[in-house]
Amino acid sequence: MVKVILWDIDGTLLNFEMSEKYAIRKCFSIFELGECTDEMLAQYSQINRKYWEGLERGELTKQEVLVGRFKEFFDKQGLPTEKAEAFNSEYQIRLGDKAFYNDEGGQIVEQLKKKGIKQYAVTNGTLTAQERKLKLSGLDQLLDGVFISDVIGVEKPNIGFFDAVWKEIGSYKKNEVVIVGDSLTSDMQGGNNEGILCCWYNPQKHENGKGLRIDYEIQDLREVPRLFLSK
């Protein structure tokens, strides 16, 4: 029986893509960089994913990711790379301006809470962005706790991140705790590393090319109560 759910935030409970598009376009306006087209956003997303995967593999530091992605993006777009660091700082703030749920995520968390399921956020997002998004979305009040890699000092999927979570949430068996997330390389790999249950949120029906153990695979978050309230 599942007693604890560890929720990834960006790309799982919250629609990160919508917040990302808003924040980047807002920053383009603030820094007077002209129009940010859909094509530019698509290129940025590819660069961003590459940098975060480097972080998850331990090849880059968080700061190298946050600034480096914008430096590379600006360089490819012919924009002033010297503005990348200030742009990123403003971007972290603007990410928290708006929060968009996936699949009625807030209602799902509330439903599970009423049934006595303990729920925690586990996120690699920055402290600045996540605190604002969690407050704006109301998740800060719904969840039993929040674990942010900036505070812990270790990123998912590193075992150290999950060890820090485990120390705080109390005494549970591994098969009583499930992580729900969209990322194979951070959420599912982290769950595999810690030996807890893994629920892959995969609305785009991607292939599991990593050979990871996936205990549950879902395309809609509304499947979560059906899975775990019946157990």
Side-chain angles (χ1 to χ4, degrees), residues 52-230:
W52 281 101
E53 288 176 354
L55 176 72
E56 291 159 5
R57 292 191 298 268
E59 299 168 359
L60 298 170
T61 66
K62 175 70 80 65
Q63 190 63 17
E64 286 172 336
V65 171
L66 297 179
V67 178
R69 59 186 177 172
F70 284 120
K71 281 187 176 179
E72 181 173 335
F73 174 55
F74 283 11
D75 182 60
K76 289 182 182 298
Q77 292 296 328
L79 298 170
T81 57
E82 65 272 13
K83 291 188 177 183
E85 188 167 356
F87 188 97
N88 172 68
S89 296
E90 186 67 27
Y91 172 72
Q92 298 307 321
I93 297 170
R94 297 306 154 201
L95 273 176
D97 283 352
K98 296 182 182 293
F100 308 92
Y101 276 112
N102 280 322
D103 309 330
E104 302 174 352
Q107 295 178 35
I108 293 165
V109 172
E110 190 169 5
Q111 177 187 358
L112 293 164
K113 183 181 181 72
K114 289 177 180 177
K115 295 295 185 179
I117 302 288
K118 292 290 186 180
Q119 299 172 88
Y120 300 87
V122 289
T123 174
N124 281 349
T126 66
L127 179 62
T128 298
Q130 298 305 71
E131 283 189 333
R132 297 185 78 232
K133 277 190 286 188
L134 290 167
K135 183 176 181 179
L136 180 64
S137 66
L139 285 170
D140 63 333
Q141 299 299 312
L142 289 172
L143 295 169
D144 294 284
V146 176
F147 297 94
I148 301 175
S149 61
D150 273 3
V151 177
I152 294 174
V154 185
E155 316 290 331
K156 296 181 294 182
N158 192 296
I159 191 69
F161 180 97
F162 291 91
D163 285 348
V165 173
W166 204 257
K167 288 177 183 178
E168 292 294 325
I169 66 174
S171 179
Y172 293 98
K173 297 177 182 177
K174 300 284 185 173
N175 64 0
E176 293 175 333
V177 180
V178 61
I179 181 169
V180 182
D182 68 305
S183 173
L184 284 174
T185 52
S186 64
D187 303 317
M188 299 301 99
Q189 182 66 67
N192 273 225
N193 291 347
E194 186 62 31
I196 59 177
L197 296 172
C198 296
C199 179
W200 186 25
Y201 176 52
N202 184 23
Q204 303 301 320
K205 298 183 180 180
H206 296 302
E207 292 292 326
N208 175 10
K210 303 292 184 180
L212 295 170
R213 170 180 52 82
I214 305 295
D215 300 290
Y216 308 93
E217 182 175 335
I218 60 175
Q219 279 75 56
D220 192 303
L221 295 180
R222 283 165 286 228
E223 296 176 61
V224 171
R226 294 197 291 270
L227 281 173
F228 303 125
L229 289 181
S230 62

